[in-house]
Amino acid sequence: MLPHIAPLALAAAAAAAPSRKTARESCAITDFDDVDDVVSACTSITLGPLTVPSGETLDLSGLADGTTVTLAGNVTFSSGTAWDGPLFEIGGSDITFDGAGLVFDGNGQDYWDGEGSNGGTTKPHFLQVNMGGTFKDLYVLNAPVQCFSISSDYALTISGVTVDNRAGDALDSSGVTLGHNTDCFDAAPYASLVITGSTCYNQDDCLAINSGQDITFSDNYCSGGHGISIAVGTDETASDVLISGNTVVNSVNGLRIKTTYDATDGSVSNVTYTDNTVTNATTYGVVIEQDYENGSPTGTATSGITITGVAFTGTNTVDVADGADEVYVLCGDGSCTGTWDWSGLCVSGGDEGSVSGDPPIEGFTLGESCTSTSTDVDVAVVSSASGASGVSTAASTGAATASVTVSSDSMPTASVTAWSEGTTTASVSYTSSAIGTTASSSLATGCAA
C-alpha cells in the first residue's frame, strides 16, 4: 500500500522544485559540456565564446518555444573528423537567434578538396535550421559544404547573415576551386520562409529551393557561386516564390530554375522575379532547364515535372559575360505551362542564347536588346556628406541620360567611373529604373579628388 501524502505536502514539494527553464544560475554556454543543461533549463541563453569539439554537433534543437539565443563570442567548430554533421542544429517555435555580428567558423579549409559532397573527404554540413521565428546577424566563415539547410515547420525570417566562403575560391592543382557544394541557403521549408538582407560568397548556389511554398528571397547579395536557383526533383513541389531586389555578381548563372532529368510527380509554380540585378554571369543570365543531372545537364528535357507561371516584373537587369548566353530555356514536351509574363526582363552582354520546348513566354523576345532613345531630363539630387550613399535620382520613363547636380562635401566615389584631379565634373554610370539599362551622365560636384 502506498503511503499517504497530505495534499499540502505535495504542494510544498512542487513549490520547492525548480521549474524547467529557470533552474540554472547561469544560462551562458562557454563550455561544450554545458550545452544540454542550459538548453533544457533556460529561455534566455548567451552563447560563446566557445570551441565545439571535432565530430560533435552544437545541438540547440530542444529549445523551449519562445527562447532567445544571443551570441556573446565567436564559436569555432574544430576540424579533424570526417563525418556528415551537422556542425550546428537549432529547433523550436518562436525562437530568436541573434548572432550580434559575431562568427561561426566552420574551418572548411581543412576539409576542402574540390569535390564537396560528391566525393573525397566526407565533410560535415554546417547549420541545420528547423526553428521558427527570427535568425539574424550571424557571420558564417568557411562552411565545409552546404551552409544553411532549412526545413522548418514554422514561419521563419533570416536576415543580416553573411556567409563568407571566399577562401574556397583557391584552386587545386587541376585548376578547380577547393570549395565545392558550398550552397549558402538550401531551403525545403514546411512553412513560410523569408531570407532578406544577407550576403553570400561561395562556389555553389546562393539559394537553392528544393521544395516549399510562400518563400521570399529579397535584397540579398550573391557573389562567385551559381546564382539563385529553384531545384526540384521527384515528389518535390515549389510554389509561390518571390525573388526580389537581389544582386548577383560574377556567378556562373544569374537566375535559374532546374528540374531533374527523368524526375516525376513534382512541380514549380507561381515564381516571380522582381527588380533583380545580375552582372557578369559567366554561363547563363536566365536559365530554365528540365534536363539537370548534378552539374552535367543531359541536353534532353523530360516532362515529369511541370513549370507553371514564371513572371519577370518591375525591372530585372541581367548582364552576362562575353560568350555566355543571356537566356537559355529548355522545356520538356508540354511541361512548361500557364502565363509567363517576361515583360520585366532586360538582358545584355554575350550571346542571345536559345528557347526550346515551346514555353508560353510573353512580353520578351530573344535577342532583343535593352535600348532606349537618349533623352535629357532634369534630376533632383540630394546628397549627404557621406557621398554616394546619399545620392538619389529620379528619371522619367524613357530617359537614358540625365543631368545630375550634387551638393556634397565628398565625392561620391562609388558612382564615379572617371575622375581627373582638380576637375569638378566626372563621368558616371547609373541604372535607370524606368528602362533598366546602364547609361552615362555628367556629374557636377563641389569638390575634386
Side-chain angles (χ1 to χ4, degrees):
M1 180 176 178
L2 295 174
H4 175 71
I5 302 176
L8 288 176
L10 287 172
S19 63
R20 185 178 185 269
K21 307 299 178 189
T22 60
R24 285 183 63 88
E25 182 176 339
S26 173
C27 289
I29 300 174
T30 57
D31 187 316
F32 185 74
D33 291 337
D34 292 337
V35 172
D36 290 346
D37 288 344
V38 171
V39 168
S40 65
C42 301
T43 56
S44 181
I45 297 170
T46 59
L47 175 63
L50 177 68
T51 298
V52 178
S54 178
E56 297 284 351
T57 299
L58 176 54
D59 189 356
L60 306 186
S61 62
L63 295 173
D65 293 350
T67 295
T68 296
V69 179
T70 304
L71 238 59
N74 297 333
V75 177
T76 300
F77 296 83
S78 302
S79 59
T81 301
W83 68 305
D84 292 332
L87 299 178
F88 173 81
E89 185 170 3
I90 187 168
S93 174
D94 193 27
I95 305 298
T96 298
F97 181 95
D98 184 356
L102 294 167
V103 178
F104 271 18
D105 185 350
N107 275 308
Q109 71 279 358
D110 295 336
Y111 295 93
W112 295 331
D113 54 13
E115 298 192 52
S117 52
N118 295 326
T121 300
T122 301
K123 306 165 188 70
H125 290 215
F126 205 159
L127 295 90
Q128 181 66 50
V129 179
N130 302 324
M131 58 168 270
T134 301
F135 190 111
K136 64 180 183 178
D137 298 338
L138 179 66
Y139 196 102
V140 183
L141 183 65
N142 294 346
V145 284
Q146 286 85 355
C147 189
F148 280 84
S149 299
I150 304 162
S151 55
S152 177
D153 290 323
Y154 312 101
L156 171 64
T157 296
I158 297 175
S159 65
V161 166
T162 295
V163 177
D164 186 353
N165 263 35
R166 282 176 285 191
D169 290 338
L171 304 180
D172 65 14
S173 58
S174 62
V176 175
T177 59
L178 289 172
H180 193 71
N181 298 131
T182 52
D183 305 42
C184 283
F185 300 100
D186 283 341
Y190 297 99
S192 64
L193 171 65
V194 175
I195 302 173
T196 187
S198 295
T199 299
C200 167
Y201 301 98
N202 72 337
Q203 299 79 36
D204 210 303
D205 291 325
C206 179
L207 169 71
I209 298 172
N210 302 123
S211 63
Q213 62 180 6
D214 192 13
I215 298 172
T216 297
F217 191 73
S218 65
D219 301 319
N220 302 290
Y221 180 87
C222 307
S223 175
H226 293 177
I228 298 171
S229 298
I230 299 171
V232 170
T234 294
D235 295 326
E236 294 175 337
T237 297
S239 65
D240 302 317
V241 176
L242 174 63
I243 308 295
S244 174
N246 303 287
T247 299
V248 182
V249 301
N250 302 329
S251 299
V252 175
N253 310 296
L255 307 171
R256 174 167 65 162
I257 298 174
K258 52 184 179 180
T259 66
T260 304
Y261 178 80
D262 263 352
T264 59
D265 299 320
S267 66
V268 177
S269 61
N270 298 331
V271 178
T272 301
Y273 298 96
T274 300
D275 297 332
N276 300 285
T277 301
V278 176
T279 304
N280 196 39
T282 58
T283 302
Y284 298 117
V286 174
V287 52
I288 298 176
E289 57 183 329
Q290 296 203 275
D291 65 335
Y292 186 74
E293 277 195 334
N294 195 23
S296 301
T298 66
T300 302
T302 58
S303 54
I305 294 178
T306 58
I307 302 176
T308 304
V310 179
F312 288 85
T313 65
T315 302
N316 295 271
T317 304
V318 176
D319 176 73
V320 305
D322 289 346
D325 285 348
E326 295 168 351
V327 174
Y328 175 70
V329 179
L330 178 63
C331 287
D333 184 14
S335 54
C336 293
T337 65
T339 301
W340 291 27
D341 180 0
W342 286 25
S343 57
L345 175 61
C346 174
V347 297
S348 61
D351 302 326
E352 66 180 42
S354 63
V355 173
S356 59
D358 199 25
I361 296 172
E362 301 174 358
F364 174 84
T365 301
L366 192 68
E368 184 177 274
S369 61
C370 301
T371 58
S372 176
T373 57
S374 177
T375 305
D376 288 332
V377 295
D378 290 332
V379 178
V381 176
V382 178
S383 177
S384 69
S386 61
S389 61
V391 177
S392 62
T393 64
S396 63
T397 301
T401 63
S403 174
V404 181
T405 303
V406 175
S407 175
S408 174
D409 294 332
S410 64
M411 181 182 68
T413 55
S415 297
V416 173
T417 57
W419 184 270
S420 300
E421 185 174 355
T423 66
T424 57
T425 61
S427 173
V428 301
S429 63
Y430 73 100
T431 300
S432 166
S433 61
I435 61 171
T437 61
T438 299
S440 155
S441 64
S442 175
L443 172 69
T445 81
C447 65

